[in-house]
Amino acid sequence: LRNVTAVATIASPDREPSFVLFRVGVGIQRPPLRSVDAIAAPHNVFDNLVSGFADARADGGDLWATTLRGLFRLRGDTWVRDPTAPFPESNGSVTRGQLPTGGLGVIASSLNGSIAYRDAAGWHRIAGAPEGAIQWVDVDTVDGEPSLWVNASDRIMRYGYRTRRWSRLEGLTALMA
């Protein structure tokens, strides 16, 4: 496959994991399924680049995509740009995971160094985000503490939810990740 800019695993209509990708000039695609859903056919509402997907539908949320035109969410069978996103101007990353306030939700980043999470009350920025372009964000638990992991320019950073502090992962650069 040529011109693939994003690959993810999302839930299919029957809640089974399904592979999805975005191809420049083609749109979102995934292997054909027995039942048709909103992204089974190619969609190209995003211009030329999608950099990430996050599937929060299992939690009552939406399927999200980060693009050069902003953050989009799948509402029913239509992709809609989220006008409330805190950084609509730049492409970044999006993930689903545990939020700093507890519970599950969506965390998004921008290439200008902003990170925010979305809960039932809306979007909230995470203070002290690393400077520089943020290529990806993800959530994991380390030593019993939920943490946000960030690829920020030339370094990997961790935000501890309990400590509310950023730390740099020594000995590992973003170029190695």
Side-chain angles (χ1 to χ4, degrees):
L1 295 174
R2 299 168 67 94
N3 302 321
V4 173
T5 62
V7 177
T9 302
I10 64 170
S12 64
D14 58 4
R15 304 258 186 231
E16 292 297 317
S18 177
F19 175 74
V20 66
L21 57 88
F22 178 83
R23 290 177 56 204
V24 174
V26 177
I28 297 173
Q29 294 181 307
R30 77 166 147 203
L33 301 173
R34 287 187 295 278
S35 60
V36 177
D37 71 4
I39 67 167
H43 289 264
N44 205 12
V45 299
F46 308 116
D47 286 338
N48 288 330
L49 182 65
V50 171
S51 61
F53 293 100
D55 191 353
R57 295 178 293 178
D59 312 317
D62 298 309
L63 179 62
W64 294 82
T66 51
T67 77
L68 286 174
R69 291 183 47 211
L71 193 57
F72 282 76
R73 62 198 294 185
L74 186 63
R75 303 303 309 257
D77 63 354
T78 305
W79 285 98
V80 179
R81 188 173 173 274
D82 184 353
T84 66
F87 31 82
E89 74 288 346
S90 63
N91 195 19
S93 178
V94 64
T95 191
R96 174 195 164 270
Q98 186 169 349
L99 302 177
T101 55
L104 296 173
V106 174
I107 301 168
S109 70
S110 73
L111 292 179
N112 68 8
S114 298
I115 302 173
Y117 64 91
R118 189 173 198 289
D119 60 16
W123 286 100
H124 311 276
R125 288 186 185 264
I126 296 178
E131 293 181 10
I134 297 176
Q135 284 83 26
W136 56 257
V137 294
D138 209 345
V139 178
D140 198 4
T141 300
V142 176
D143 298 329
E145 179 181 18
S147 300
L148 177 65
W149 294 89
V150 175
N151 175 341
S153 294
D154 64 345
R155 62 206 178 283
I156 305 293
M157 303 290 292
R158 174 183 172 221
Y159 178 75
Y161 286 2
R162 212 173 18 248
T163 62
R164 301 265 191 248
R165 292 178 33 196
W166 288 97
S167 59
R168 181 177 180 156
L169 210 65
E170 297 299 326
L172 182 65
T173 69
L175 300 175
M176 297 169 68

